[in-house]
Amino acid sequence: LIVIGERLNSTRKAVAEAVEKGDSEYVRGAAEAQVRAGADFLDVNAGTFFDSEPEKLAWMVETVQGAVDVTLSIDSVNAEAVERALEVHRGRALLNSVSGEKGRIEHLAPIIRKHRPRIIALCMDEDGLPDTVERTVLSATRVVDLLAGLGVGQEDIFLDPLIRPIGTDPSFGKLGIDSTAELKKRFPAVKTICGLSNVSFGLPKRRLLNQSYLPMLIAAGLDAVIADTLDRGLMATLRASLALSGSDAYCSSYIKAYRQGLLP
Amino acid sequence: LIVIGERLNSTRKAVAEAVEKGDSEYVRGAAEAQVRAGADFLDVNAGTFFDSEPEKLAWMVETVQGAVDVTLSIDSVNAEAVERALEVHRGRALLNSVSGEKGRIEHLAPIIRKHRPRIIALCMDEDGLPDTVERTVLSATRVVDLLAGLGVGQEDIFLDPLIRPIGTDPSFGKLGIDSTAELKKRFPAVKTICGLSNVSFGLPKRRLLNQSYLPMLIAAGLDAVIADTLDRGLMATLRASLALSGSDAYCSSYIKAYRQGLLP
């Protein structure tokens, strides 16, 4: 499982302040802490800076990669910000996110062709958010085909079925699980990914819900997750779930994590 | 999900002492605490009393049902103990457990015909414990057929795929999940059940593993679980998992549990 740390997001007040002030010490510290806690990649988002997102996001990329040697997930809906970020990113980045909406993908096409990032593709298009497994697959097919037209192979795509809050509709939890399992079947070469915490939006004890949902997704074959790696309970659940799903030979990573005091 | 409280088992030292002394206050208290914490049924086991199991088990049944009005799961491999317990049980009991091993089931046949308990049937026979999903289904077919011969309908059977420790073989976690899902498909009228804590046997932080495994099983369609209802973390995970799997309309039970302070 690839774990993408979600904390360097300007919707978090402390992050917005640090980015505003150019406080590289804070940003480096936040990057290091997430990697230490088990993040493989880090998401960076400066979306709250409406006027200066391109500069701010590029600064975040350079600052974070100055501290930790990991791939960044460039999280922006602003094509100029995406381009600036990809220009300064060392190595091949992950672009978060591309949907099947035609206007959007055409805007990003030249940038994708030029920088060849791996891509988080959303199962969402002109018809909106899918509300059945079959519509999720249809939406996935569209975005995978659009990306193929830009030279992006399935092995470089992370498909996100777009988990929605169970507080809105109690069937959305199961829809996310079933969609993940079905996407794995229909597109064996792609990876599946999700933003875990969406599922609990609007409900009390969100961490409990997120921690209970992650094992379900891992059992369904999830390949990558965007989550808060500083949530020790969540990371312990993640390690236990990998052992339980057979992805941790002889439970050796689990036992190692236990010895390191990582299982509270 | 039917939750069967597992604590009234004579392998627990305090329980053995209470049963030995005839300490009905202790047994009643243990029964009440489990029901208060969310147990629907209670398992009773006096298996460590080699010479006096029938009397001890019958006493447990009467004592527990004197305190709480729930179905008991009669947990014994001793046919005489089973018979005595079923004789004093009020209402229809659950017999835990019957396997497909011929000698065993023939011994229990007259008792089953007479008392008509619902039955926890183990996916296990002369060939031992199954180690693939297909062999689990084969084993289930045998025991379901044997029980049909005794007049037990599928709607009165809880099939237990026999979860085994991932510490023994890392594939056993996935085997338990896949077997549960497949048994639900092949025998739509039966219920699936498991003893949750077997999965973590021999590993550190067993509660963490049990808590991570339960959401996977619930997503796979598990109908009943034998577990420690006094484990508050486990019960919170169970409530969250029901909301996430769509079994809790409008998350109303989850929100109610939150308001009652049941979600730590």
Side-chain angles (χ1 to χ4, degrees):
Chain A
L1 193 78
I2 298 171
V3 183
I4 304 177
E6 73 183 10
R7 293 178 69 92
L8 281 169
N9 190 309
S10 66
T11 55
R12 300 175 79 93
K13 198 166 163 243
V15 172
E17 284 175 9
V19 173
E20 176 69 47
K21 286 189 290 187
D23 180 351
S24 58
E25 200 173 332
Y26 177 91
V27 170
R28 293 169 62 99
E32 285 159 356
Q34 289 181 88
V35 170
R36 212 161 35 231
D40 302 296
F41 295 2
L42 294 179
D43 193 76
V44 286
N45 179 309
T48 58
F49 294 95
F50 302 107
D51 299 327
S52 56
E53 188 185 351
E55 298 77 57
K56 293 288 196 289
L57 191 61
W59 177 83
M60 286 177 86
V61 169
E62 290 190 298
T63 306
V64 171
Q65 286 200 319
V68 290
D69 185 24
V70 301
T71 297
L72 302 188
S73 154
I74 307 298
D75 187 2
S76 173
V77 293
N78 177 325
E80 192 194 338
V82 168
E83 184 156 30
R84 289 283 302 275
L86 291 178
E87 272 164 8
V88 297
H89 186 279
R90 278 188 286 115
R92 201 168 176 200
L94 180 64
L95 175 53
N96 180 12
S97 52
V98 174
S99 76
E101 295 156 297
K102 282 240 166 128
R104 178 98 207 282
I105 210 165
E106 278 158 15
H107 222 56
L108 287 169
I111 303 171
I112 291 172
R113 285 185 192 279
K114 181 172 175 198
H115 293 284
R116 306 235 149 269
R118 291 204 274 174
I119 289 179
I120 297 178
L122 308 182
C123 295
M124 175 187 170
D125 50 37
E126 291 84 0
D127 299 335
L129 290 165
D131 46 17
T132 65
V133 172
E134 272 318 301
R135 286 209 49 215
T136 303
V137 170
L138 192 66
S139 206
T141 307
R142 282 190 198 164
V143 69
V144 165
D145 288 349
L146 283 168
L147 287 169
L150 303 179
V152 181
Q154 293 196 17
E155 66 284 2
D156 289 326
I157 298 176
F158 291 71
L159 275 175
D160 183 340
L162 288 169
I163 308 288
R164 289 151 79 188
I166 55 168
T168 312
D169 184 323
S171 73
F172 284 160
K174 189 165 157 45
L175 177 62
I177 302 294
D178 293 347
S179 295
T180 298
E182 193 63 22
L183 290 173
K184 291 291 294 175
K185 262 193 226 160
R186 302 283 191 101
F187 304 94
V190 307
K191 292 186 169 53
T192 50
I193 191 170
C194 77
L196 180 66
S197 60
N198 296 339
V199 79
S200 60
F201 185 80
L203 287 171
K205 298 282 177 187
R206 292 189 63 182
R207 285 185 172 199
L208 169 63
L209 288 164
N210 300 345
Q211 266 184 52
S212 304
Y213 200 48
L214 184 58
M216 296 181 176
L217 287 164
I218 289 177
L222 190 74
D223 296 300
V225 64
I226 303 175
D228 182 2
T229 60
L230 298 194
D231 180 341
R232 285 170 59 86
L234 183 70
M235 291 304 284
T237 298
L238 186 152
R239 292 181 170 106
S241 299
L242 293 177
L244 290 161
S245 63
S247 314
D248 177 7
Y250 306 104
C251 304
S252 57
S253 299
Y254 178 81
I255 292 167
K256 188 177 163 203
Y258 168 70
R259 290 193 179 134
Q260 291 175 333
L262 295 175
L263 307 180
Chain B
L1 193 78
I2 297 171
V3 183
I4 305 177
E6 72 183 10
R7 293 179 70 93
L8 281 168
N9 191 309
S10 66
T11 56
R12 301 175 79 94
K13 200 169 162 238
V15 173
E17 284 174 10
V19 174
E20 176 69 47
K21 286 188 291 187
D23 180 352
S24 58
E25 200 173 331
Y26 177 91
V27 170
R28 293 169 61 98
E32 286 160 357
Q34 290 181 88
V35 170
R36 213 160 36 230
D40 302 297
F41 294 2
L42 294 178
D43 192 76
V44 286
N45 179 309
T48 59
F49 295 95
F50 301 106
D51 299 326
S52 56
E53 188 185 350
E55 299 76 59
K56 293 288 194 288
L57 191 61
W59 178 81
M60 285 177 86
V61 169
E62 289 189 299
T63 306
V64 171
Q65 286 200 319
V68 290
D69 186 22
V70 301
T71 296
L72 302 189
S73 154
I74 307 299
D75 187 2
S76 173
V77 293
N78 177 325
E80 192 194 338
V82 167
E83 184 157 31
R84 290 284 302 277
L86 292 178
E87 273 164 6
V88 296
H89 186 279
R90 278 187 285 115
R92 202 169 177 199
L94 180 63
L95 175 53
N96 179 12
S97 52
V98 174
S99 75
E101 294 156 298
K102 281 238 165 133
R104 178 101 207 280
I105 210 164
E106 278 158 15
H107 222 57
L108 288 168
I111 304 171
I112 291 172
R113 285 184 192 279
K114 181 173 174 195
H115 293 284
R116 307 237 147 267
R118 290 204 276 174
I119 288 178
I120 297 178
L122 308 182
C123 295
M124 174 188 172
D125 50 36
E126 291 84 0
D127 299 336
L129 291 165
D131 45 18
T132 64
V133 172
E134 271 319 302
R135 287 208 49 214
T136 303
V137 170
L138 192 67
S139 205
T141 307
R142 282 190 198 164
V143 69
V144 165
D145 287 349
L146 283 168
L147 287 168
L150 303 179
V152 181
Q154 293 197 15
E155 66 284 1
D156 289 326
I157 298 176
F158 291 72
L159 275 175
D160 183 340
L162 288 169
I163 307 289
R164 288 152 79 187
I166 56 169
T168 312
D169 184 323
S171 73
F172 284 161
K174 188 164 158 47
L175 177 63
I177 303 293
D178 292 347
S179 296
T180 299
E182 192 65 20
L183 289 173
K184 291 291 294 176
K185 262 193 225 161
R186 302 282 190 102
F187 304 95
V190 306
K191 291 186 170 53
T192 51
I193 190 169
C194 77
L196 180 66
S197 59
N198 296 339
V199 80
S200 59
F201 184 79
L203 288 171
K205 296 284 176 186
R206 293 189 62 181
R207 285 185 172 200
L208 169 63
L209 288 164
N210 300 345
Q211 266 184 51
S212 303
Y213 200 48
L214 185 58
M216 296 180 176
L217 288 163
I218 289 177
L222 190 75
D223 296 301
V225 65
I226 303 175
D228 182 3
T229 61
L230 298 195
D231 179 342
R232 284 170 59 86
L234 183 70
M235 291 303 284
T237 298
L238 186 151
R239 292 180 169 106
S241 300
L242 293 177
L244 290 161
S245 63
S247 313
D248 177 8
Y250 306 105
C251 304
S252 57
S253 298
Y254 178 82
I255 292 167
K256 188 177 163 203
Y258 168 69
R259 290 193 178 135
Q260 291 174 334
L262 295 175
L263 308 181

